[in-house]
Amino acid sequence: MVRQVLRRTLAGTLCPNVVLDGARRFDDVAAGRFAIVTSVTPSAAQRAAIEGCGAALVVARPGSELHRWLRQGGAHAAVVRPDGTVMRSGRDLSELCTALPGPLH
């Protein structure tokens, strides 16, 4: 019998509403928008793509709760929906940026 290897993924789970930068929580920063949570420093083009979609960008600093959460899920970044649920996660930030919906009005 061959056992199928299950990939760990954060998709379908809730993003933790942790305190960021001392006072504000994730939900306050995301403010009902799509968000990219990443442990990788985004390039200028990636930042522009994220901002162009009206999404929030949260960089998870090493040692932070969000950084540990990403690592435990086997990801470097995650796309979080406005309701706080992870839509998609993975190791390629550029690919995840393309998963954001188009410019929001």
Side-chain angles (χ1 to χ4, degrees):
M1 174 181 201
V2 177
R3 293 184 75 187
Q4 185 177 17
V5 176
L6 298 176
R7 264 182 70 196
R8 286 186 307 188
T9 181
L10 296 171
T13 66
L14 288 176
C15 180
N17 188 24
V18 298
V19 175
L20 306 171
D21 301 326
R24 298 186 313 164
R25 290 194 165 274
F26 174 81
D27 287 354
D28 298 329
V29 172
R33 302 177 288 164
F34 275 88
I36 292 275
V37 178
T38 180
S39 61
V40 178
T41 302
S43 68
Q46 290 166 334
R47 283 183 183 273
I50 294 165
E51 292 170 5
C53 291
L57 172 62
V58 177
V59 178
R61 306 280 178 230
S64 69
E65 286 183 66
L66 281 180
H67 190 267
R68 284 191 296 276
W69 173 72
L70 286 169
R71 275 194 13 214
Q72 288 171 350
H76 292 291
V79 178
V80 181
R81 297 185 328 209
D83 66 0
T85 303
V86 177
M87 183 171 91
R88 197 166 162 193
S89 66
R91 295 181 175 268
D92 186 343
L93 180 57
S94 293
E95 181 180 314
L96 292 174
C97 286
T98 63
L100 287 169
L104 304 174
H105 302 287

